[in-house]
Amino acid sequence: MTGGPSWQQRADVVVIGTGVGGLAAARAARRAGRDVVVLSKADTGYAVTATHYAQGGIAVVLPGTDDSVQAHVADTLAAGGGLCDADAVTSIVADGYRAVAELAGAGAQFDREADGNWAITREGGHSRRRIIHAGGDATGAEVQRALDHAAAGLDIRHGQVVLAILRDTDTVTGVLVANADGLGVIHAPSVVLATGGVGHLYAATTNPGGATGDGLALALRAGVAVSDLEFIQFHPTMLFAGPGGGRRPLVTEAVRGEGAMLIDSRGVSVTAGVHPMGDLAPRDVVAGAIDARLRETGDACVYLDARGISGFEGRFPTVTAACRDAGIDPVHQPIPVVPGAHYSCGGVVTDTHGRTELPGLFAAGEVARTGMHGANRLASNSLLEGLVVGERAGSAAATHAVAAGQMRAGAPQWDRQPALDRQALQKAMSRDASVVRDARGLQRLNDLLATAGERRVTDRTGFEDAALTLAAQVVAGAALARTESRGCHHRAEFSGADPAQARSTTVRLRDGAVVLDVPAAVAS
């Protein structure tokens, strides 16, 4: 950045993002007595986060049921394809009920049965009914509403694009921000990344427009490692309403949990004989089965037949509204669906308290890789992780801010960044790094990414394009290096998992180049 910042401020903790991870972190840091600033690149605070669009619910072990932490952990590990950190999973799952109860105490209203207990449903990969929900299929909207209400009084600023994490040799010193007042610096010893995922790497996604890999780019450019980015989960049932890009509604997995069936255009089951759990198999299995059937038939979509669910409109009002907006009556017609880019299982490497390898930098929510999800996230574990780790990260950030004391006001440096045209990038990613990948397509994608020209980044669009380009380089490189099919990474040339590759790949940015650190093969 030339000429120095046009404004400067100070805070104890800066939180980037206003979804579940960000607001949970900000509230925890404020409770600890720290001066907290929350930054959002969105112009307004309503309906802009991935949290808001979450439908199904929160996976949590409730007291007094036939469920257990051990069972939830086992289901999570099974879905994760051998790459989950069992200790991290246990830590987060065991803290789930406390976190959810605290959210309810802050005003979240979850659906209840006639006896007054929280209603629970089942989703793919779960051996028990343990998914609490709100508004039928509007859980995320209720979680966001409750957090927004509980965050009243926080210093939340919109229209703020964080362009860089500032650091000295061994710790965070603040953030470089672009807003209506120009480029400026907020000096802070603790920064929490809660920026969401990378859905807009693809032409069609269930994610809101802000899911452009910002946190990954910020962390990588600050010298911090990311991991497991080849594992991008494609939700099996994104509503199909003809060709076109942008955000599309998902059809929550809970619809299948209540008995809906996946069929092709001939009325034949899509998952029969594929997995013992059928339509309730883990998401990677169901998405892969749908992709295979579409390749076999040449059809544009498959169908989710929910006509046998009694009271569908009352149980799933969000899905019903989305379908009817697209000219589909789910009560009387099968719902056309396709897999859609939905969730990044990997991210910035952290522990279960959101701490990264760079002192003062924390991450929570989808942007973070705690080891919870491994190669494939279990349904409804995302809001759970966001609540638990978000709160822990905020507390840890507050503690670090006290220990760090007064920060030096060093001048930030800002460089030009490679960026491809966004539509060209999304087209290439959708073609070559979607549900099923192969070496030829991934190499073609890598070759395209290598042609990205540099541009000076000073606004939201430019930063997002650069962030998406860097995220795509990480995804493509890691996917090409993983010569097996595991979790939600499917390679056409490799039908199954290779026991020797049951390890995560760490990625760093060195001298502007993406460098993969592939551990030695695991003994089979």
Side-chain angles (χ1 to χ4, degrees), residues 116-408:
N117 292 321
W118 283 338
I120 51 177
T121 190
R122 185 181 169 200
E123 294 182 342
H126 289 273
S127 61
R128 309 280 200 284
R129 295 177 72 91
R130 64 167 66 99
I131 315 300
I132 63 172
H133 44 82
D137 56 358
T139 308
E142 175 59 15
V143 169
Q144 188 71 55
R145 182 205 64 78
L147 287 171
D148 286 343
H149 177 75
L154 277 171
D155 183 358
I156 300 178
R157 307 176 187 179
H158 298 286
Q160 313 286 315
V161 181
V162 178
L163 299 176
I165 304 297
L166 307 179
R167 59 171 296 176
D168 60 14
T169 303
D170 55 9
T171 190
V172 165
T173 61
V175 291
L176 175 67
V177 182
N179 61 23
D181 296 322
L183 292 176
V185 172
I186 302 177
H187 302 283
S190 293
V191 174
V192 181
L193 298 172
T195 54
V198 297
H200 283 269
L201 282 174
Y202 297 88
T205 176
T206 66
N207 292 185
T212 53
D214 300 9
L216 298 177
L218 290 169
L220 282 164
R221 296 191 185 283
V224 174
V226 302
S227 185
D228 290 341
L229 262 297
E230 65 268 43
F231 300 109
I232 294 178
Q233 188 176 80
F234 288 79
H235 196 287
T237 53
M238 181 175 70
L239 182 65
F240 177 78
R247 195 194 79 83
R248 294 181 183 174
L250 63 83
V251 179
T252 173
E253 204 153 325
V255 174
R256 281 175 281 138
E258 297 296 338
M261 297 180 59
L262 280 165
I263 57 175
D264 61 19
S265 58
R266 301 163 296 175
V268 177
S269 169
V270 172
T271 61
V274 173
H275 191 279
M277 297 179 76
D279 289 342
L280 286 176
R283 287 178 174 176
D284 64 301
V285 176
V286 179
I290 293 173
D291 184 81
R293 185 61 57 87
L294 294 179
R295 290 173 184 266
E296 173 189 326
T297 63
D299 293 336
C301 65
V302 296
Y303 297 88
L304 187 61
D305 190 351
R307 291 175 292 181
I309 299 177
S310 177
F312 184 90
E313 294 172 272
R315 174 65 179 86
F316 300 108
T318 304
V319 172
T320 300
C323 288
R324 288 181 174 161
D325 283 347
I328 302 154
D329 183 353
V331 176
H332 299 103
Q333 297 173 269
I335 304 168
V337 295
V338 292
H342 182 57
Y343 191 89
S344 173
C345 296
V348 182
V349 178
T350 75
D351 63 13
T352 57
H353 286 73
R355 291 179 288 240
T356 74
E357 62 187 342
L358 175 62
L361 184 62
F362 304 81
E366 189 174 352
V367 70
R369 185 267 186 196
T370 62
M372 174 77 171
H373 308 306
N376 184 42
R377 174 176 66 88
L378 184 65
S380 288
N381 268 354
S382 53
L383 290 177
L384 168 71
E385 184 191 41
L387 282 172
V388 171
V389 180
E391 181 179 349
R392 293 177 177 181
S395 296
T399 299
H400 177 82
V402 173
Q406 188 71 21
M407 302 306 300
R408 294 181 295 278

Side-chain angles (χ1 to χ4, degrees), residues 57 70 243 305 356 437 451 460 478:
Q70 292 76 14
D305 190 351
T356 74
R437 305 95 178 259
T451 69
R460 174 174 172 172

Side-chain angles (χ1 to χ4, degrees), residues 420 428-429 431-434 436-451 472-483 489 491 493 516:
L420 278 179
M429 287 290 294
R431 179 191 63 209
D432 295 329
S434 190
V436 178
R437 305 95 178 259
D438 61 32
R440 179 182 178 185
L442 290 168
Q443 188 57 60
R444 176 171 54 192
L445 176 59
N446 274 321
D447 292 343
L448 173 66
L449 292 167
T451 69
Q473 290 173 331
V474 174
V475 172
L480 186 60
R482 186 169 290 279
T483 53
H489 168 72
R491 284 285 295 268
E493 315 98 311
L516 275 65

